[in-house]
Amino acid sequence: MRANDPPQRSRGGLLLRAALGASGVVGVVSGVVHGAQLRLAGVAEPSVALIAYAERLDGCAVALAWIECTLLLGTAVAFARWTASAVRVAATFGAAPVRWSPRAAAWSWLIPGVNLVRPPRVIGALVASIGAKSAGAIAPRPLRDAAVGYREPAMARASRLSQSLPITAWWTLWLGSRVTEAAAALWPAADVGAFMARACFDVCADVLLVASATAAFIVVRGVDAALSALGWEAREDA
């Protein structure tokens, strides 16, 4: 690799973003299915064909629920690996150490109860550490890119990270999607009205899931970009 080549993209970050994208797609498809169920529930006298269609939708909804559960578990593991790597790489590039070690940061995604409150704190501390490293640097200078010439100073871009990443919005949306989905699962469907209410909860949960996956994608991409910027600066200083 030449001296002016950028640091390689994080493979863990790419895999994590792929998992988040898949979660978003599943959320969209699930929302369409639940929306169709909601519309069918309002039909007063459904035909035989509509009843058969509703049964197929029920099967699709169950299958999508299993796929979503699998993706959530896989994404949690991917987040654990990526967070540990990001904390380690940030320290390597000279950022201040965060409160948690790479191993503790990884386990914060996997321990029940802890994984509801600690992950955004770990990511926030990581972002603050990167931002402090960038903002505290003296006389940031443009870094040469062989492809596009001079580009924006890496440290200037990284120092804006804490102001631009929607960490709080991401976590709020994700918790909202889990609470809404739990409410839908516990909602009794004894009659048509109750079934329609549960379908509404399902649609809301799907919308929140897609929104949270989008926000998480932005956060992961932003952290990876900031780490890459610090890597550029480390190469220049070397």
Side-chain angles (χ1 to χ4, degrees):
M1 180 177 293
R2 298 187 301 273
N4 59 353
D5 285 342
Q8 293 183 349
R9 292 281 183 178
S10 165
R11 181 178 300 178
L14 293 175
L15 292 175
L16 177 54
R17 278 179 270 171
L20 290 170
S23 296
V25 171
V26 170
V28 170
V29 176
S30 183
V32 171
V33 171
H34 290 137
Q37 288 180 316
L38 182 60
R39 291 185 61 183
L40 287 178
V43 178
E45 297 181 359
S47 63
V48 175
L50 281 179
I51 293 175
Y53 179 55
E55 291 176 352
R56 289 196 297 271
L57 286 176
D58 290 340
C60 289
V62 172
L64 287 168
W66 280 104
I67 294 173
E68 181 182 322
C69 182
T70 303
L71 279 174
L72 285 175
L73 292 175
T75 303
V77 173
F79 255 120
R81 294 173 59 88
W82 172 81
T83 304
S85 176
V87 170
R88 190 179 300 111
V89 170
T92 301
F93 288 155
V98 299
R99 175 182 175 184
W100 298 273
S101 67
R103 177 174 295 183
W107 277 107
S108 67
W109 291 93
L110 305 175
I111 300 176
V114 175
N115 58 8
L116 296 178
V117 294
R118 183 176 292 179
R121 296 173 60 190
V122 174
I123 302 300
L126 174 63
V127 166
S129 174
I130 297 172
K133 162 66 178 177
S134 304
I138 300 176
R141 58 191 179 281
L143 304 178
R144 177 171 292 281
D145 187 320
V148 298
Y150 284 104
R151 62 190 180 91
E152 183 182 7
M155 291 181 296
R157 292 193 296 118
S159 65
R160 295 197 301 267
L161 185 63
S162 58
Q163 287 78 33
S164 61
L165 293 185
I167 298 175
T168 302
W170 155 43
W171 204 250
T172 301
L173 290 167
W174 186 82
L175 289 178
S177 71
R178 297 305 90 203
V179 171
T180 308
E181 187 166 314
L186 297 174
W187 194 271
D191 52 34
V192 174
F195 180 83
M196 293 179 68
R198 187 172 70 177
C200 287
F201 276 116
D202 282 327
V203 172
C204 290
D206 295 330
V207 171
L208 291 172
L209 176 62
V210 173
S212 66
T214 302
F217 187 97
I218 295 171
V219 169
V220 173
R221 184 179 63 180
V223 172
D224 278 344
L227 290 175
S228 180
L230 290 183
W232 267 102
E233 189 61 29
R235 285 176 182 276
E236 285 289 308
D237 291 341

